Each structure stands twice: as structure tokens, then as C-alpha cells.
Amino acid sequence: MTRQIRAAITGTGSYLPSKVLTNADLEKMVDTSDEWITRRTGIKERRVAAEDECTSTMAVEAARRACDSAGIDPSELDLIACATISPDTLCPASACYVQRDLGAKNAAVFDLSAACSGFVYCLTIARRFIETGQCKNCLIIGAETLSRFTDYTDRGSCILFGDGAGAVVLQAVEDNSRGVKYTVMHADGNGWDYIWTPAGGSKLPASHKTVDDRLHFLKMRGRDVYKFAIEKMQWLLEDCMKACNLSNDDVDLVVPHQVNIRIIKSATEKLNFPLEKVYVNIDKYGNTSAASIPIALDEAIRSGKVGRGSTILLIAFGAGLTWAGAVVEL
Ligand code: UT7
């Protein structure tokens, strides 16, 4: 068999800020209840960044842990891709701060904005850079400080979001038995207003009025996102398994975007996919957008739920609208 260059996940890391925001805390801020949030979303608590933390600082912590677990020095990285919709600054990219703080002086860097699908989008791009020989060692990060863009007077959205970061090291290997086997990405810009931040960009720059009107916070059409998410999660599961000729038995773990436990259950039940093989940590961290999959993957690997030889599926959907999936042999 000819040996191809494959892009393998060789290290993972994550970072969650220590401050916890519980449903009981939210009860004091908006008209909601622990019972409602738990029943409708599965979330019990989420993390919130400290004042001196932001997207790049959390990303750096996750990245250090990923590099340590891969046994690689940051100076060996040739690409850093950071998926985020809550960057430190509009310019430059958060990945620039990450590169500086890691001392990854040989890495090209960029941020990617595809919301909750951002991490899988970055994985897809980095995979191709590796397979074509352009890169050998890539760092892919999903990091979000959504608390800075969450309207804590809007009970329809503030109950969902949390902060955190996850990272993976993707390396070139000449081993056909492992690596990223399949990736798929899609988008539909007609759904731009399902989840969006109206102000602060070139369309509606910051002004006293945009601040007064609370237009720098994420706005969401929750019910519409809900329906879209179930449909796309189901589609991604089916597409990934079909593309790699996998049955439910062949898949060791699905790591979905941590969106809402009802969405995850509904989509997997329709396909008779067992919930025991779906990684869920939404109860602890809520929805951390691009960070949710790499955080969950890191937990799944460190807890021994999956490891070398496991076949995993990563599936995500989010603002844009965007959706993306991957099949990886660890
Ligand atoms: O990564 C993508 C980011 N987006 C998402 O993850 C959102 C996906 N969507 C969802 O998770 C769900 O749509 C929500 C959790 C946001 C809402 O759950 P739902 O079952 O779709 O509720 P709903 O919007 O249909 O609202 C049902 C009722 C409404 O009251 P009425 O009109 O029936 O009297 C809402 O006003 O629940 C009310 N409600 C709340 N009640 C207590 C909405 N938010 C809350 C709340 N606490 N936090």
C-alpha cells in the first residue's frame, strides 16, 4: 500500500476559566429558573472569563496543554488557526497574540469566523495544508469569550453561552491507519440573522446609539436555530458515516457541538444512534461556540473514553449559517 501523508491529531488541550455562573445566579439576573433552563437546554452552569482574561489568553493555555501532550515545542509549529467569533480585537487576529505568547515564531497565523462550526472549518483547512506538504505541525484552536457579547438582560440567549478554549495539534504522519479521514463544510448566508452581532463592524460602526440600543450583543432567533440544528446534526451524522462506510457500531464516539441536550438527543434518536456514544458536557460549560468541540474532545481523550485506534465524528453547526463535520481516526 502506498504511504500517504495523513493529518493526525497528536495532542489536545483545553482551558476553562474558574468563575462559575450557575442557573441560580441567572435566576437573580433575568426572569428564569433552574428548572426551565435544565429542562429546555440541559445546562446547569457555565464558565465566565475573569477581568484579566480574554480569548487569546485562554487560547494560549489550551494551546500549551495541547503542545505538551503532543510533545512538541511551539517553535516547531508552522500554522496556528484560531476559530472565534469573540476575538480580542477586530484587528489584528487573536491568533497573532497567541503566536506571540506561545513563542511560535515560525507559524503563519489566522483567525476564522464560522461561529460554532469554526473549529471543524479550521481542521479541514489545516488537514489540507498538511496533506499537500505545505505544513507539518499545525495548531488548531477554538476559543471564545462569549460573556463579553452576551446580553444578560435577554433571557432567551444569556442562559446558553459560556467561555473557554480548546486546542489540538495536527501533525503530518505517514501512517494510513490514523488521521483525519473525511471533512465536509457548508454554509447558507440566507440565515445570517438567525444569530448575529449587529454593531461594531463596517455596516454599523460603534456609536453612543449602538451602545444604548445594546447592538453589540449577540442576537438570536432561538426557535429557528433549534430547528436548523436538529436537521443539520442529523444530516452531518448520516453524511459522515456514509462517506466513510461506517455503521453505528464502527463509531466509538460522536463529539457534537454542545448546543442543547434536546437537539443532541432528538437528532441521534432519529438515527438510532446510542446516546452513550455521544460526548456531552453542556451541563458544565453551556454553549462555548467554536470552543465546544475541542474542549469536549480533550476531555474525552484525557478521561480515556477514546484514544489511539478510536474512530470519532465531530459535528458542528452555527451562525452564518454554517455546518461542518469530520471523521477522525485517533
Ligand atoms: O450554537 C448555536 C447557538 N444557538 C443555540 O444554541 C440556540 C438553539 N435554540 C435553543 O436552544 C432553544 O430554542 C432555546 C433554549 C433558546 C429556547 O428553548 P425553546 O424550547 O425553543 O423555547 P421558546 O423560544 O419556544 O420559548 C418558549 C417559552 C416562551 O414563552 P411563551 O411565549 O410560550 O409564554 C419564552 O418567552 O419560554 C420562554 N422563555 C423562557 N422562560 C424561562 C424563553 N427563555 C426563557 C428562559 N426562562 N430563559
Side-chain angles (χ1 to χ4, degrees):
M1 191 193 282
T2 34
R3 282 184 168 240
Q4 284 178 320
I5 298 178
R6 302 282 294 263
I9 292 179
T10 56
T12 62
S14 58
Y15 173 81
L16 277 311
S18 54
K19 185 176 170 197
V20 176
L21 182 70
T22 65
N23 291 349
D25 295 329
L26 286 166
E27 283 177 358
K28 294 177 203 135
M29 297 158 73
V30 285
D31 181 14
T32 191
S33 65
D34 172 44
E35 190 277 326
W36 192 96
I37 302 172
T38 307
R39 186 165 41 86
R40 299 274 182 148
T41 71
I43 303 170
K44 295 300 284 183
E45 56 188 47
R46 63 291 289 145
R47 300 297 177 92
V48 175
E51 249 177 60
D52 62 347
E53 291 181 311
C54 61
T55 295
S56 72
T57 64
M58 295 189 291
V60 165
E61 287 306 317
R64 283 208 179 101
R65 292 170 194 181
C67 288
D68 283 351
S69 80
I72 184 176
D73 187 87
S75 63
E76 295 173 72
L77 294 169
D78 36 32
L79 183 76
I80 299 176
C82 182
T84 187
I85 52 163
S86 48
D88 295 26
T89 50
L90 274 183
C91 177
S94 295
C96 297
Y97 306 114
V98 174
Q99 188 227 31
R100 177 198 61 187
D101 293 344
L102 280 179
K105 58 181 190 298
N106 297 309
V109 305
F110 64 84
D111 278 8
L112 185 140
S113 175
C116 312
S117 314
F119 177 80
V120 182
Y121 265 62
C122 283
L123 184 82
T124 305
I125 294 166
R127 166 205 182 186
R128 296 303 187 196
F129 274 120
I130 286 177
E131 289 169 352
T132 54
Q134 173 134 9
C135 291
K136 283 198 162 53
N137 305 316
C138 300
L139 177 69
I140 304 155
I141 302 169
E144 302 283 10
T145 321
L146 294 179
S147 62
R148 306 268 155 83
F149 299 88
T150 296
D151 184 349
Y152 288 103
T153 66
D154 173 16
R155 69 173 183 173
S157 65
C158 74
I159 53 151
L160 293 173
F161 300 122
D163 300 338
V168 309
V169 172
L170 200 66
Q171 290 188 280
V173 293
E174 283 193 29
D175 178 353
N176 291 350
S177 72
R178 66 188 297 214
V180 181
K181 277 188 81 177
Y182 174 73
T183 44
V184 59
M185 302 187 286
H186 284 289
D188 179 3
N190 290 309
W192 61 274
D193 63 343
Y194 278 36
I195 312 169
W196 70 306
T197 315
S202 58
K203 190 176 176 182
L204 189 58
S207 67
H208 288 294
K209 185 164 167 32
T210 60
V211 174
D212 291 345
D213 292 347
R214 309 184 76 75
L215 297 180
H216 295 270
F217 295 120
L218 281 160
K219 311 280 174 207
M220 188 180 75
R221 288 165 42 188
R223 266 276 125 189
D224 292 327
V225 179
Y226 189 91
K227 286 185 219 145
F228 154 76
I230 291 182
E231 185 200 321
K232 291 308 172 203
M233 186 163 173
Q234 224 180 298
W235 183 86
L236 285 165
L237 262 178
E238 275 181 319
D239 178 69
C240 284
M241 291 208 278
K242 198 168 155 212
C244 294
N245 203 15
L246 298 171
S247 69
N248 286 356
D249 288 342
D250 299 323
V251 177
D252 294 299
L253 192 68
V254 172
V255 183
H257 168 46
Q258 305 292 308
V259 58
N260 179 324
I261 191 63
R262 283 157 62 213
I263 293 173
I264 294 171
K265 276 188 181 159
S266 168
T268 47
E269 269 166 17
K270 283 196 179 120
L271 296 177
N272 287 325
F273 193 88
L275 196 59
E276 311 83 75
K277 290 207 288 185
V278 181
Y279 198 82
V280 176
N281 63 8
I282 191 168
D283 51 319
K284 296 188 290 183
Y285 309 134
N287 179 345
T288 57
S289 192
S292 91
I293 287 181
I295 291 171
L297 177 61
D298 182 48
E299 279 193 356
I301 290 176
R302 284 178 195 263
S303 65
K305 211 168 168 61
V306 285
R308 272 302 298 275
S310 302
T311 300
I312 62 167
L313 266 56
L314 312 177
I315 50 179
F317 28 80
L321 297 166
T322 57
W323 58 104
V327 178
V328 182
E329 279 167 8
L330 289 176

